[in-house]
Amino acid sequence: MAEDLVLLEKKAPLATVIINRPKALNALNSKVLTALDNILDSLNEDNEVRVVILTGAGEKAFVAGADIAEMSQMSPLEGAGFSRFGQLVFKKVQDLKKPVIAAVNGFALGGGSELALASDFIYASDNAKFGVPEVTLGIFPGFGGTQRLPRLLGKGLAKEMILTGKMISAQEAYEIGMINRVMPQSDLMEAVKKVALQIAKNGPIAVSIAKNLVDVGYDIPLDDGCLMESRSFGMCCATEDKKEGMKAFLEKRKPEFTGK
Ligand code: DAK
């Protein structure tokens, strides 16, 4: 069943989404993308889930890219459809109402790096390898890599990765600011869950708006971004969570946010 290609483990307030094709190093084919798309829709509507963790099954790969065997058989029309669908799914990761943390547990190549880049931030195990090797296959990154990588790393480093197709270690990815933390594989999920729970304790509406402000504000002029920020701030002042957060502070207790 297509659903088995992507597993969902829910332990509120966290949900872990696991790309589950370990024999093919979790390569993304159309069925995986469809299953991921459906799970993202369900998570968006699930008010019990406040933070989503994205990882790959097994100890070797996060996602080793789009499925080369499937792509090799695609007509131009099918290729365009596949690329567009992948872009829309990755955009859904970026636009999810709640934060998505990528726990990169091995190879994150091509579409795998692009999927991690669509998340809000990345923690990786020290055996992880990042790269966008598409040019070695005669194609180029088609799931947003040519756009998200330069926004994160700057044009020079992004072009070096995209044009050489070379792999870099998790430590190098950390040093160039592609990922937030690197650690032994045995510590990865615990560290990701810890930071996810720290986020989940906060006001969910504020977290959701702040995520969106960073993403949308990054691509527009500063003044427009600041205007958007102040309007969103006004909206936030209308929430019960804002009242509860400040009241709890003044009463010297922990807030109980309801997402309203
Ligand atoms: N697709 C399909 N199968 C894959 C795969 C992939 N990306 N990566 C690995 N596998 C499969 C292998 O074929 C092998 O299958 P069997 O032979 O056992 O049946 C199994 O996973 C184990 O892989 P290896 O035997 O190769 O394992 P190794 O440890 O020796 O090597 C490796 C690991 C990650 C270095 C190697 O598997 C590798 O180089 N994999 C390919 C990595 C890669 O090139 N990834 C980028 C894929 S291209 C676009 C839209 C999207 C994209 C581009 C354009 N538009 C239309 C514009 C995205 C493109 C990509 O992501």
Side-chain angles (χ1 to χ4, degrees):
M1 266 177 35
E3 288 72 36
D4 297 340
L5 294 170
V6 183
L7 306 175
L8 175 62
E9 287 177 5
K10 184 175 144 181
K11 201 173 167 199
L14 309 185
T16 304
V17 176
I18 305 163
I19 310 294
N20 186 35
R21 273 188 92 200
K23 284 187 184 148
L25 304 188
N26 302 321
L28 302 172
N29 61 18
S30 306
K31 287 182 176 164
V32 173
L33 285 175
T34 301
L36 179 59
D37 189 48
N38 291 335
I39 284 179
L40 291 171
D41 284 341
S42 73
L43 289 173
N44 228 4
E45 300 312 318
D46 188 335
N47 291 332
E48 288 178 354
V49 173
R50 295 203 175 163
V51 181
V52 175
I53 296 166
L54 191 53
T55 193
E59 296 190 341
K60 195 170 168 185
F62 172 69
V63 167
D67 190 302
I68 298 170
E70 188 182 50
M71 283 192 296
S72 71
Q73 303 299 318
M74 280 177 191
S75 67
L77 207 58
E78 288 166 339
F82 180 68
S83 168
R84 190 67 191 139
F85 183 49
Q87 288 173 351
L88 293 175
V89 176
F90 286 23
K91 179 84 167 61
K92 210 173 261 188
V93 171
Q94 180 177 314
D95 290 345
L96 208 76
K97 286 188 261 179
K98 37 210 103 186
V100 181
I101 306 171
V104 174
N105 55 316
F107 289 109
L109 301 176
S113 270
E114 293 174 289
L115 182 59
L117 289 168
S119 309
D120 293 294
F121 58 87
I122 304 169
Y123 278 19
S125 55
D126 52 13
N127 67 321
K129 297 245 188 293
F130 293 84
V132 272
E134 283 89 338
V135 289
T136 68
L137 299 165
I139 55 175
F140 57 83
F143 290 152
T146 62
Q147 302 306 305
R148 290 198 179 93
L149 210 49
R151 281 169 170 75
L152 189 62
L153 303 182
K155 284 203 283 184
L157 285 167
K159 281 183 185 165
E160 187 178 342
M161 284 186 73
I162 293 166
L163 304 184
T164 62
K166 71 177 180 184
M167 272 191 235
I168 60 170
S169 66
Q171 183 59 33
E172 285 172 276
Y174 173 70
E175 283 162 15
I176 62 174
M178 185 174 176
I179 67 176
N180 286 19
R181 283 190 61 189
V182 55
M183 64 206 73
Q185 188 162 55
S186 54
D187 298 344
L188 179 65
M189 288 316 287
E190 199 184 324
V192 172
K193 283 180 182 162
K194 192 171 166 199
V195 70
L197 284 171
Q198 201 176 346
I199 295 170
K201 274 196 288 192
N202 300 324
I205 299 174
V207 165
S208 182
I209 295 177
K211 162 179 168 149
N212 185 254
L213 281 170
V214 173
D215 282 330
V216 177
Y218 202 83
D219 295 324
I220 62 179
L222 180 65
D223 282 349
D224 296 347
C226 287
L227 184 62
M228 198 172 68
E229 186 184 66
S230 55
R231 287 184 176 162
S232 303
F233 194 83
M235 259 169 51
C236 209
C237 286
T239 64
E240 287 175 23
D241 281 351
K242 177 252 182 184
K243 288 187 195 93
E244 165 63 8
M246 298 199 175
K247 194 162 176 270
F249 175 82
L250 295 172
E251 292 171 359
K252 300 189 188 308
R253 61 172 173 83
K254 290 200 170 133
E256 282 178 32
F257 293 117
T258 56
K260 290 182 183 155

